[in-house]
Amino acid sequence: AQTVTQSQPEMSVQEAETVTLSCTYDTSESDYYLFWYKQPPSRQMILVIRQEAYKQQNATENRFSVNFQKAAKSFSLKISDSQLGDAAMYFCAYRSAGSRGNKLVFGAGTILRVKS
Amino acid sequence: GAVVSQHPSRVICKSGTSVKIECRSLDFQATTMFWYRQFPKKSLMLMATSNEGSKATYEQGVEKDKFLINHASLTLSTLTVTSAHPEDSSFYICSARTSGRAFYNEQFFGPGTRLTVL
């Protein structure tokens, strides 16, 4: 079974600075998807960024980018120019590709605090 | 596009009563819906997966008779917590997945329902 590990329960960043959230995963599959979700205080889950395992290029979405290291099974999220609205709980998630790709496997989450 | 609603957003009930939570995909057809439970500052715990027109698949440790899931149409799934007890108090989140290529089989999440059992 796949597992996702987020080793940082909490992180803090100064407004306008950069922060990196860590995520590692364990799988024997070669084709899969990785995601970062944001859960703000409203508790609505919001997709931040997605990475397909077969793509070597790291995904980026505006201020959000990932460092995907397939061999190391690492998938970190970098938030640049942090804003107060980035404060939230962030979850890393894994999903198998193909017909087995049904469930999301979530990490434990990282609470990100943004200081003004 | 890809909006998922949940109703109610909050519910308070007495111990022993049953509570129904609805999850609707508003602008797409959801071939699969998922129900999660989340405790404060914790991760989402998958309870069950439901496919339209068939029985739900429950995760290990989740009581089928306690948490009844019905996925009667491509836009609606319901979770009924039967004979609720205070330990069932939690935040319940649904998500819906489409097989349409435009959304890369994404899961879209509802806003959640806070259940409090007195």
Side-chain angles (χ1 to χ4, degrees):
Chain A
Q2 294 80 27
T3 58
V4 177
T5 302
Q6 292 179 249
S7 58
Q8 305 154 317
E10 290 192 26
M11 292 283 284
S12 290
V13 63
Q14 197 69 35
E15 199 175 5
E17 308 237 314
T18 296
V19 64
T20 299
L21 307 184
S22 300
C23 172
T24 58
Y25 58 95
D26 188 30
T27 184
S28 58
E29 298 173 336
S30 59
D31 197 12
Y32 49 86
Y33 299 96
L34 295 165
F35 305 86
W36 278 99
Y37 284 92
K38 170 184 178 181
Q39 189 180 41
S42 68
R43 302 190 79 170
Q44 171 73 59
M45 294 286 283
I46 301 165
L47 176 64
V48 174
I49 200 163
R50 157 201 326 114
Q51 175 81 42
E52 288 111 317
Y54 64 86
K55 290 187 177 178
Q56 292 186 339
Q57 188 173 6
N58 289 325
T60 62
E61 287 287 341
N62 301 312
R63 298 183 295 108
F64 298 87
S65 62
V66 297
N67 184 2
F68 173 48
Q69 301 289 328
K70 191 172 184 179
K73 296 179 183 174
S74 170
F75 183 61
S76 60
L77 175 70
K78 185 171 84 171
I79 306 174
S80 304
D81 185 26
S82 297
Q83 300 175 0
L84 294 176
D86 295 333
M89 192 151 186
Y90 286 81
F91 294 99
C92 179
Y94 172 104
R95 197 188 84 213
S96 298
S99 59
R100 294 162 300 163
N102 218 3
K103 303 177 190 179
L104 283 170
V105 179
F106 286 97
T110 297
I111 296 172
L112 178 66
R113 304 188 193 283
V114 181
K115 298 183 239 182
S116 59
Chain B
V3 177
V4 177
S5 70
Q6 272 184 251
H7 178 79
S9 57
R10 287 176 178 262
V11 57
I12 301 173
C13 69
K14 292 183 179 179
S15 188
T17 61
S18 294
V19 174
K20 181 184 283 188
I21 302 170
E22 290 187 350
C23 176
R24 292 182 185 273
S25 57
L26 297 186
D27 50 3
F28 66 99
Q29 293 186 327
T31 52
T32 307
M33 286 184 166
F34 305 85
W35 288 95
Y36 298 87
R37 184 172 181 176
Q38 187 182 30
F39 292 104
K41 296 188 179 181
K42 297 294 184 183
S43 190
L44 280 69
M45 182 184 75
L46 180 64
M47 299 174 66
T49 302
S50 73
N51 292 295
E52 184 264 339
S54 61
K55 289 185 179 180
T57 302
Y58 290 80
E59 295 299 302
Q60 193 171 6
V62 177
E63 298 177 61
K64 300 178 185 182
D65 296 332
K66 174 82 173 163
F67 299 100
L68 300 178
I69 291 171
N70 184 281
H71 191 162
S73 77
L74 284 171
T75 59
L76 173 64
S77 177
T78 59
L79 167 67
T80 301
V81 182
T82 62
S83 187
H85 288 97
E87 57 265 31
D88 299 324
S89 298
S90 191
F91 194 68
Y92 293 87
I93 302 174
C94 75
S95 71
R97 177 190 171 193
T98 176
S99 59
R101 292 184 61 190
F103 293 119
Y104 301 97
N105 296 342
E106 297 289 349
Q107 280 192 34
F108 299 97
F109 288 83
T113 296
R114 181 177 302 283
L115 170 63
T116 303
V117 184
L118 302 176

